[in-house]
Amino acid sequence: MNELNQQNEEINLREELDKYLRYWPWFLVGVFTCLLIAFVYLKLTIPVYDTVASVIIKDEESKGGGLGAGAEFADLGLLGGMSTNSIENEIGLLKSRRLMINTVQALKLNVVYYDLDGVKTDELYANTPYVIEVVSLEEAALLGAKTKGLHQFTVEHTGSNDELLLTFPESGATQTVRVGELFQLEYGTFILKQNPEPVLKERVLIELRTIPSVADSYREAVQINLTDDNATLLELRLGSPVKQKAQDILDQLIFEYNKEAIEDKNEVAVNTAKFIDERLQIISGELDTVEVGLESFKEQNSLTNIETESQLIVENASEYRKREQEIQTQLSIAQSIINYLQEDADTGLLPADIGLEGESVNAQIASYNELVLERNRILSGATDKNPTVLRLNNQIEQLRQTILGGLERTVSSLEISLRDLRQQSRFIGAQIATVPNKERQFRDISRQQEIKEALYIFLLQKREENSLSLAATSPKAKIVDSAYSLNIPLSPKPKIVLAAAFLIGLAIPFLVIYIRRLLNNKIERREDIEKLTKSIPIIGELPRIAKGESDLIEENDRSVLAESFRILTTNLQYLLVNAKHEGKGYCIYTTSTVKGEGKTFTSINLAMTLANTGKKVVIIGADLRNPQLQRYDTESKSFLGVSDYLVNDDHALNTLINDSKFHPNLKLFLSGSIPPNPSELLRQKKFGAMLDELRERFDYVIVDTAPSMLVADTFLISQYADLIIYVTRAGYTEKRLLQFAIDSQNDGKLHDISFVINDVKTANFGYGNKYGYAYGQEKASLWERFKKSF
């Protein structure tokens, strides 16, 4: 089942292709015409070339310093949060109207030169024999002159050495000017000069434009793209018919960008230098004031170095406190010994080496202790009355009194020293109390001095850095590739244009054929009928008769028309097999839906074909309302015929049947006089009897009837027919009218219907287009087949 469906799809596809391939001359003409137009277009169209330049934008703010003026201001805290060196901003600057206007002014792009000598109006740019210099230009007046066409004028040499003729094409006005001299137009003053480079051009068209309009057009044309999101490499592109012009525009645009960046940077540097100088003057004055104040403060307070002096005072105070503690210790020791001597009457040992100053007292104490020890040693072996003991006791008592007096004098001396030390300590303490205040004042003054001095040094350093930055300013846009043009045109692209032309050449005939088929409601070929009905067979296709050709076949005719009718008669034989013959001839009707479909043409040629086979044939003109058989034999217009026979019983049938001039075996039984009541005449049984009589005498009775849809005449006599040939005409019969024939057969109004398609184009033959009917004939020329395909 799948194989069958696939086969059907292949057959349908092949049939669809055949429907278009049969019009191959259309496709051939379409492709040839479009390719010819494309070729002319490529020859006449001025090619546009792509010009490319690339630059790297230096990101100076990301370097963390440098010599740029921006760095100085950043260090000074004046540009915090205002750094906006994003690549999008730089692209915006490059595409700004201001930079493009500067570029147009620098290159004088508002003046355009065209060559009028060639087939194409090419732009000359620098390769022009004459160069116009704009001395003054009023753009408003130029815009007004543009509406009059006065912004363009041709320049050509008059024959004189210095004279040039200006011609304004729109108005036809002329003006003569001299080379190198001023001349006036309504919108400005100009000078025409000869190009120093020799250029062989006869006539040049000069067009003047306003600078803003030119700048706006190039702003739209220039494309600036970032090659990578993580880089600052920009690619500039411009399409132009003149390569050198596009290169100059991109290079000049980059130059203007760098120039403006340098000017901005220098302007900032100059302003920075001015600001630094002003601040240096102010800081210098403030620093002088602070230093004078510091000097006065030192003089008033007798200070050289407050920190050193303060340290000395503190050290002295510490020494005094230490000495006071030592004296108090000596005083305490001396007082303790005195108390001991006064309270203890016993002559015991005295403490020695307890820290008393003075060698005499310490020596006396040592002597005293020796005497006591000696006495005690003697007492161990003697009594208190021993003379030696008594002598030693006297010595001990005298020495004791001496020690006591010496200690009392020491105590008095120590008290005096202690009072002096305490007085000195109070004085030093007063000095120490004044030190913090002086130190604070000194530090305040010193701090101001340090701040002013540091700021002064900082400004001096920045002034030097700013001077270096101003002297060594580098371009912001580093050129990676200067502008260069590609050799392959951006437009038009020959391969694309030719390919498009080829496709359009195929598409136009295809669309024309498709739309024509889509809107066509007429039958064109046998498939149109076969899609509507399978119950009614198609027994023949009759070709279209070319202008000047005969529409009647002849004896031994080998034309396509004759072969078509031979096939038709052959198919008739298969359909007439089941007809009731009974030794009589066959009765065949030819009818159609409406008039003009060729039923009479079919009838007479069918009769001729049968007669050529040796059959006796008679044609009956049964269309009593609009007889057409007479147009094939003009001499028979006055003959009596069917209507006369049916009206008048006196007419013999033999007398009404006439010989034809076409073939001896073909007889004509014309319709005769046009009656007022055709339908009543055809209802008579006499018409059936007439047919029976004719069938006995002829092998074939061909009845040319009236159109069945317009009148009921054919329905009234249809029961007498063995076969009804229903003639349709290609390109004439509407498809919806075929339903009438189908309904007529289904309702029994007509029977044994067979379709014949008349006036079929050769291209639409079911088999004729592929194989041809004119077997054995000389093959038609290509031009003849081309004409027939339409």
Side-chain angles (χ1 to χ4, degrees):
M1 189 66 179
N2 292 334
E3 293 180 357
L4 181 60
N5 292 335
Q6 184 177 359
Q7 185 177 2
N8 291 334
E9 291 177 0
E10 292 177 356
I11 294 174
N12 294 334
L13 178 61
R14 190 181 303 112
E15 290 178 354
E16 288 298 322
L17 288 176
D18 289 341
K19 292 176 182 178
Y20 294 96
L21 292 178
R22 65 186 58 174
Y23 296 101
W24 62 267
W26 279 93
F27 292 97
L28 184 62
V29 171
V31 170
F32 177 78
T33 303
C34 290
L35 288 177
L36 180 62
I37 294 173
F39 180 77
V40 174
Y41 169 78
L42 292 174
K43 287 296 182 182
L44 296 182
T45 302
I46 300 174
V48 176
Y49 296 93
D50 192 16
T51 302
V52 185
S54 56
V55 296
I56 291 179
I57 304 299
K58 298 178 182 178
D59 189 5
E60 297 181 354
E61 281 74 4
S62 65
K63 296 179 181 178
L67 298 177
E72 281 75 30
F73 276 116
D75 290 340
L76 292 174
L78 301 178
L79 291 179
M82 295 181 62
S83 177
T84 56
N85 189 29
S86 66
I87 194 65
E88 290 80 7
N89 292 342
E90 305 308 318
I91 293 175
L93 286 175
L94 280 168
K95 295 197 71 172
S96 65
R97 193 168 189 257
R98 182 183 69 257
L99 283 186
M100 189 56 71
I101 287 177
N102 294 340
T103 301
V104 172
Q105 289 176 336
L107 298 176
K108 300 178 181 179
L109 299 178
N110 59 320
V111 182
V112 187
Y113 306 90
Y114 296 100
D115 180 18
L116 297 179
D117 293 338
V119 178
K120 298 182 290 184
T121 306
D122 296 322
E123 183 179 348
L124 295 175
Y125 189 49
N127 191 29
T128 173
Y130 308 108
V131 179
I132 189 169
E133 181 178 337
V134 180
V135 178
S136 64
L137 178 66
E138 297 181 8
E139 294 187 348
L142 178 59
L143 291 175
K146 187 175 181 180
T147 60
K148 305 175 186 177
L150 299 179
H151 67 298
Q152 291 181 337
F153 53 86
T154 61
V155 180
E156 55 185 325
H157 206 277
T158 60
S160 177
N161 292 333
D162 296 333
E163 286 189 353
L164 299 174
L165 179 64
L166 307 185
T167 305
F168 298 88
E170 293 288 338
S171 62
T174 60
Q175 182 176 346
T176 302
V177 299
R178 287 188 173 275
V179 176
E181 295 184 0
L182 290 172
F183 67 92
Q184 190 76 26
L185 296 177
E186 65 178 59
Y187 43 81
T189 305
F190 309 92
I191 300 176
L192 268 174
K193 299 180 179 179
Q194 285 188 335
N195 194 338
E197 300 292 334
V199 179
L200 299 177
K201 299 291 180 183
E202 296 292 335
R203 296 170 62 240
V204 177
L205 175 66
I206 299 179
E207 180 180 355
L208 296 173
R209 303 174 183 174
T210 61
I211 291 177
S213 64
V214 177
D216 290 338
S217 63
Y218 281 116
R219 278 186 67 213
E220 296 295 329
V222 173
Q223 298 179 359
I224 304 176
N225 300 313
L226 183 63
T227 58
D228 191 279
D229 294 338
N230 298 322
T232 59
L233 180 64
L234 297 181
E235 186 178 70
L236 290 77
R237 287 182 174 272
L238 175 61
S240 174
V242 184
K243 295 181 181 180
Q244 188 60 46
K245 183 177 183 179
Q247 294 172 13
D248 292 345
I249 290 174
L250 293 184
D251 289 338
Q252 186 68 29
L253 180 62
I254 296 171
F255 173 79
E256 294 292 337
Y257 172 81
N258 282 329
K259 177 183 176 183
E260 185 170 286
I262 292 173
E263 290 176 353
D264 290 344
K265 186 181 294 185
N266 288 344
E267 183 178 358
V268 173
V270 171
N271 292 335
T272 302
K274 182 179 179 181
F275 169 79
I276 291 174
D277 290 339
E278 292 175 354
R279 292 300 300 167
L280 279 173
Q281 293 179 1
I282 296 173
I283 296 301
S284 178
E286 293 177 352
L287 183 59
D288 290 342
T289 302
V290 171
E291 289 180 345
V292 170
L294 181 61
E295 182 179 356
S296 299
F297 180 79
K298 287 183 176 182
E299 290 177 353
Q300 292 174 2
N301 293 276
S302 300
L303 298 175
T304 56
N305 190 328
I306 191 169
E307 292 182 356
T308 304
E309 292 180 357
S310 299
Q311 186 177 359
L312 290 175
I313 292 173
V314 172
E315 290 178 354
N316 290 336
S318 177
E319 289 292 331
Y320 279 113
R321 283 194 297 271
K322 182 179 179 182
R323 181 62 181 162
E324 183 181 356
Q325 290 175 357
E326 291 177 353
I327 291 173
Q328 286 180 346
T329 303
Q330 294 290 323
L331 186 61
S332 176
I333 294 171
Q335 190 65 44
S336 299
I337 295 174
I338 291 173
N339 292 336
Y340 177 79
L341 292 173
Q342 290 177 350
E343 293 176 359
D344 190 5
D346 189 10
T347 57
L349 293 174
L350 295 176
D353 296 330
I354 57 175
L356 283 175
E357 295 181 354
E359 295 180 356
S360 60
V361 175
N362 290 324
Q364 291 174 356
I365 292 174
S367 298
Y368 178 84
N369 289 333
E370 289 178 358
L371 291 175
V372 172
L373 290 173
E374 184 178 356
R375 187 197 64 180
N376 292 337
R377 186 175 64 253
I378 296 172
L379 284 176
S380 64
T383 61
D384 294 337
K385 302 296 184 178
N386 189 305
T388 304
V389 173
L390 292 174
R391 182 180 56 81
L392 290 172
N393 285 334
N394 289 331
Q395 290 180 351
I396 291 171
E397 183 62 27
Q398 291 177 356
L399 189 56
R400 179 179 179 184
Q401 292 299 323
T402 301
I403 292 172
L404 184 60
L407 288 174
E408 288 176 351
R409 288 192 299 271
T410 299
V411 168
S412 177
S413 177
L414 288 174
E415 287 177 350
I416 294 171
S417 298
L418 183 60
R419 284 195 301 270
D420 292 339
L421 285 174
R422 286 178 176 175
Q423 186 177 359
Q424 291 293 330
S425 295
R426 284 193 297 272
F427 177 74
I428 292 175
Q431 284 185 330
I432 293 174
T434 60
V435 167
N437 184 36
K438 292 181 180 178
E439 186 175 4
R440 179 182 59 77
Q441 295 179 10
F442 179 78
R443 287 188 179 279
D444 288 341
I445 299 173
S446 299
R447 187 181 301 111
Q448 293 180 17
Q449 181 193 21
E450 292 173 358
I451 292 172
K452 301 298 181 182
E453 185 177 0
L455 184 56
Y456 185 79
I457 295 173
F458 175 78
L459 290 174
L460 287 177
Q461 178 184 357
K462 292 305 175 182
R463 184 170 66 177
E464 293 302 318
E465 292 179 355
N466 187 67
S467 299
L468 291 175
S469 174
L470 187 61
T473 302
S474 61
K476 188 171 186 179
K478 180 181 179 181
I479 299 176
V480 178
D481 288 320
S482 298
Y484 63 93
S485 300
L486 304 179
N487 293 324
I488 300 176
L490 184 64
S491 67
K493 295 184 180 296
K495 292 182 180 180
I496 295 178
V497 171
L498 294 175
F502 179 79
L503 294 177
I504 292 173
L506 294 176
I508 290 176
F510 175 82
L511 291 176
V512 171
I513 296 170
Y514 176 78
I515 294 173
R516 182 181 176 187
R517 285 166 50 86
L518 188 65
L519 299 179
N520 186 19
N521 62 345
K522 309 291 194 304
I523 63 170
E524 296 291 344
R525 57 189 63 81
R526 66 186 299 127
E527 290 87 349
D528 296 334
I529 298 178
E530 290 174 346
K531 289 179 181 178
L532 296 175
T533 177
K534 296 291 185 180
S535 60
I536 301 177
I538 300 173
I539 60 173
E541 295 175 84
L542 307 180
R544 173 171 294 180
I545 305 301
K547 187 176 181 181
E549 293 183 0
S550 174
D551 59 349
L552 290 176
I553 63 175
E554 300 175 357
E555 191 173 0
N556 299 323
D557 197 339
R558 298 177 60 189
S559 65
V560 176
L561 179 64
E563 293 297 335
S564 299
F565 273 99
R566 292 188 185 102
I567 293 174
L568 173 61
T569 56
T570 302
N571 293 333
L572 282 177
Q573 303 305 318
Y574 291 101
L575 295 176
L576 293 173
V577 170
N578 297 325
K580 295 181 180 179
H581 193 269
E582 298 177 355
K584 299 180 180 179
Y586 296 104
C587 182
I588 301 173
Y589 284 10
T590 58
T591 188
S592 63
T593 307
V594 293
K595 68 176 183 177
E597 294 179 300
K599 54 183 179 55
T600 302
F601 162 77
T602 304
S603 299
I604 194 167
N605 280 289
L606 175 61
M608 284 287 297
T609 303
L610 293 172
N612 286 331
T613 62
K615 305 295 183 179
K616 293 187 297 181
V617 184
V618 62
I619 298 180
I620 300 176
D623 187 359
L624 305 183
R625 303 172 188 270
N626 185 25
Q628 294 295 319
L629 283 177
Q630 289 86 339
R631 66 186 177 90
Y632 288 99
D633 190 353
T634 55
E635 297 178 357
S636 63
K637 289 184 177 180
S638 60
F639 292 170
L640 299 177
V642 175
S643 60
D644 301 294
Y645 176 76
L646 295 177
V647 170
N648 191 346
D649 293 337
D650 296 334
H651 291 294
L653 188 59
N654 292 335
T655 60
L656 299 178
I657 297 175
N658 303 293
D659 295 333
S660 71
K661 63 179 182 179
F662 308 117
H663 197 279
N665 293 336
L666 177 60
K667 305 298 182 180
L668 298 178
F669 187 12
L670 303 178
S671 58
S673 304
I674 299 177
N677 54 348
S679 298
E680 285 73 7
L681 293 179
L682 294 175
R683 287 177 184 272
Q684 297 179 19
K685 295 182 178 179
K686 187 177 181 181
F687 184 81
M690 178 190 72
L691 291 178
D692 287 339
E693 184 177 350
L694 292 175
R695 290 175 64 180
E696 291 178 355
R697 297 175 53 186
F698 295 93
D699 296 320
Y700 289 94
V701 178
I702 309 298
V703 183
D704 182 21
T705 66
S708 57
M709 187 176 181
L710 302 180
V711 293
D713 295 357
T714 304
F715 295 149
L716 297 176
I717 59 175
S718 63
Q719 67 272 20
Y720 306 119
D722 294 323
L723 179 67
I724 299 176
I725 297 176
Y726 205 99
V727 180
T728 61
R729 184 176 179 180
Y732 184 84
T733 304
E734 296 182 8
K735 296 177 182 178
R736 61 185 179 86
L737 297 182
L738 296 178
Q739 190 62 38
F740 177 80
I742 298 171
D743 294 340
S744 298
Q745 177 168 270
N746 294 336
D747 296 340
K749 298 177 182 179
L750 298 176
H751 63 90
D752 296 311
I753 298 176
S754 297
F755 283 121
V756 170
I757 307 174
N758 182 31
D759 200 23
V760 180
K761 296 179 181 179
T762 305
N764 292 330
F765 269 113
Y767 306 103
N769 185 44
K770 187 172 182 180
Y771 300 104
Y773 286 113
Y775 175 75
Q777 290 186 347
E778 184 179 353
K779 188 176 182 179
S781 64
L782 180 63
W783 174 246
E784 291 176 348
R785 286 182 288 158
F786 177 79
K787 291 190 295 181
K788 289 181 179 180
S789 65
F790 299 103

